[in-house]
Amino acid sequence: MEKYQVGVVGATGMVGQRFITLLAGHPWFELKVVAASQRSAGKRYEDAVGAKWAMTQPIPDCAKDLVVMDATADVDAIAAQVDFVFCAVDMKKDEIKALEERYAKAECPVVSNNSANRWTPDVPMVIPEVNPDHIKVIEAQRKRLGTKRGFIAVKSNCSIQSYVPALSPLRQFGITKVLACTYQAISGAGKTFETWPEMVDNLIPYIGGEEEKSEQEPLKVWGTVEGGVIQTAASPAITAQCLRVPVSNGHTAAVFVSFEKKPTEDEMKSIWASFKGRAQELELPTAPKQFLHYFEEPDRPQARLDRDLEGGMAVSVGRLRPDTQYDYKFVSLSHNTLRGAAGGGVLLAELLCAEGYIDHRV
C-alpha cells in the first residue's frame, strides 16, 4: 500500500521522540517532516535534539537528517507535504488549541497528544478499543471549521489509560462509583532520572491538574455522540488521587469499584480475557493482540516486568479481590509513553486511516 506521509509537530520533546521511534519502520506511515520551536528550526534533527534524546534506542535513520521546520511559522508548508501530523508541542494551552486549529484549517488532520482540545465538544477523545465510534463526530467538526480534510482528534490523558480500559467492559454491570489512585512515572513529566535526580528515593503527592483529568476524562470517553457533539456520561462518580513515583515508565492504578449488579470475580476475569475492541477487529498494526492481560500472581502487575507487554500497548491487571467499602478492588498498569501517549496516538491514527477519515492528500 502507498504509505501515508506524516509529520511530527513538537518532535524534539520526549513524546515527539517516542512518536519518531514508533514511525521508524511503520508499515503504513512514513516520517516526512519534523517540526519544533523556532530555536530548533533549520537544524538537522539529530543536532537539534542533541543530548536531549531520551529514548533507549538511537535516533532512527529516517529522522537524523531531516531539517527541523518551525511548528508555528511553517504551518502551511508543513501541511502541504504531509497527509496528517502528530502534535506533541510544549506550549500554553490556548496557544496549542489555536495551533492545532490552524493545521486543521490548512486541511491537515491533527492527531494530538496534547490536552488543549480534549474538552472541545466536537473533538473526539479516543481510546480505540473503548470508544472508536466517537470519530464520527469529525463530520460535525469539519462543518464548524469549514474544512474538507482537516480535523483534530485527541488521545486521552495517559493516567486514565491505566484503569479506564479495565473498567470499560465492566460497564454492562452498571458501575456506580470508582476510586482510582494513580502512581505515575517520571516520564509522564517529560523527565528521566538524569534530568530529575530529585525523584530518586522520592514520592510527590501532587501532579498539577492530573486529578481533575482523571475524574472527568473517563466520562467523555464513556459519553455518546449526539447532535454533532460528544455528550459526557452522567455516571459513574469518580474520585482520584495522583502521585508521582520514582519509576521511569509505567503508570499504575489502584482501583476500587462498585456496581448496580455485582459480577463475580470469575465473570470479571473472563470478560477481561475475552475483551476485544475495534482496533483488534481491524488488526491495526500497533494494536495488541490481547488488550487486557490478567495476572494471577499476587505481586503483579509490576512496572519493570509488565509495562512493555505487547510492545507497551497492552494493559495489565491483577490483584482482583473484594473490598470492605466498594464491591471490588484491583491494580492495573499501562506504559504511559506508549499506550498512554505516542503509541496511543499512532493507534488512533491507524484507526482514522482504516475508517476513511484520513486519506492521501495527493
Side-chain angles (χ1 to χ4, degrees):
M1 67 179 279
E2 180 187 355
K3 286 193 173 185
Y4 294 86
Q5 301 298 299
V6 179
V8 177
V9 180
T12 57
M14 183 174 283
V15 175
Q17 293 175 25
R18 181 68 80 179
F19 271 123
I20 284 168
T21 63
L22 294 174
L23 291 171
H26 192 282
W28 292 9
F29 304 149
E30 182 175 352
L31 181 64
K32 178 75 171 179
V33 170
V34 290
S37 65
Q38 186 179 19
R39 65 179 177 272
S40 296
K43 299 177 183 177
R44 288 174 63 251
Y45 180 73
E46 186 174 31
D47 297 332
V49 175
K52 293 188 298 181
W53 183 256
M55 302 294 105
T56 54
Q57 62 268 61
I59 299 174
D61 290 339
C62 65
K64 280 183 180 180
D65 294 324
L66 290 176
V67 176
V68 179
M69 300 184 73
D70 190 316
T72 55
D74 296 333
V75 170
D76 291 334
I78 293 167
Q81 296 183 55
V82 299
D83 296 312
F84 70 94
V85 295
F86 292 109
C87 188
V89 294
D90 182 12
M91 299 164 61
K92 294 177 181 177
K93 190 167 288 190
D94 57 341
E95 294 174 347
I96 295 171
K97 195 168 184 177
L99 181 64
E100 290 180 347
E101 197 161 298
R102 281 180 62 200
Y103 277 96
K105 286 183 175 179
E107 298 294 359
C108 181
V110 177
V111 179
S112 179
N113 184 75
N114 301 108
S115 64
N117 270 300
R118 286 184 193 154
W119 287 98
T120 305
D122 58 10
V123 170
M125 181 172 67
V126 178
I127 300 173
E129 289 88 350
V130 175
N131 61 327
D133 58 306
H134 282 199
I135 62 176
K136 64 188 178 185
V137 81
I138 287 169
E139 297 167 18
Q141 185 194 144
R142 281 173 167 160
K143 287 180 182 176
R144 174 177 64 84
L145 296 175
T147 60
K148 293 181 179 179
R149 290 186 78 252
F151 65 85
I152 303 162
V154 302
K155 52 152 289 300
S156 66
N157 191 44
C158 54
S159 68
I160 78 166
Q161 302 208 42
S162 62
Y163 60 91
V164 164
L167 289 171
S168 293
L170 305 177
R171 294 182 68 225
Q172 61 187 285
F173 299 106
I175 298 174
T176 57
K177 59 179 181 175
V178 173
L179 163 62
C181 297
T182 61
Y183 304 87
Q184 301 184 204
I186 62 173
S187 56
K191 303 289 183 66
T192 64
F193 286 117
E194 287 73 27
T195 61
W196 201 5
E198 297 87 352
M199 274 306 300
V200 175
D201 191 30
N202 196 16
L203 180 152
I204 299 175
Y206 172 74
I207 307 172
E210 206 74 2
E211 288 162 1
E212 293 83 355
K213 294 174 187 175
S214 298
E215 294 170 353
Q216 296 165 13
E217 286 191 17
L219 299 178
K220 182 170 182 178
V221 170
W222 290 331
T224 55
V225 178
E226 299 175 26
V229 298
I230 296 167
Q231 300 287 350
T232 58
S235 63
I238 304 172
T239 186
Q241 286 213 97
C242 301
L243 293 77
R244 188 73 71 194
V245 295
V247 171
S248 59
N249 292 295
H251 287 355
T252 300
V255 184
F256 302 77
V257 58
S258 290
F259 302 92
E260 291 175 5
K261 182 183 176 184
K262 183 179 177 181
T264 66
E265 291 181 48
D266 287 341
E267 282 178 312
M268 293 171 70
K269 292 178 184 178
S270 176
I271 287 168
W272 283 332
S274 62
F275 180 63
K276 292 184 183 298
R278 184 64 174 152
Q280 284 71 38
E281 292 172 8
L282 291 169
E283 297 183 342
L284 299 177
T286 304
K289 286 184 170 55
Q290 184 171 332
F291 185 29
L292 305 173
H293 290 249
Y294 187 82
F295 289 87
E296 292 289 351
E297 295 91 334
D299 60 351
R300 303 282 287 278
Q302 293 181 27
R304 284 185 65 179
L305 297 179
D306 304 313
R307 62 192 170 203
D308 293 317
L309 194 62
E310 297 213 39
M313 292 299 289
V315 174
S316 303
V317 189
R319 299 210 69 209
L320 175 65
R321 59 220 190 273
D323 183 65
T324 58
Q325 307 298 313
Y326 290 73
D327 287 335
Y328 291 107
K329 53 191 170 188
F330 63 87
V331 173
S332 55
L333 163 76
S334 67
H335 194 303
N336 56 295
T337 69
L338 287 168
R339 165 56 71 169
V346 171
L347 185 60
L348 172 53
E350 292 169 359
L351 175 70
L352 290 163
C353 290
E355 300 287 24
Y357 286 89
I358 296 177
D359 59 7
H360 296 283
R361 177 178 283 277
V362 179

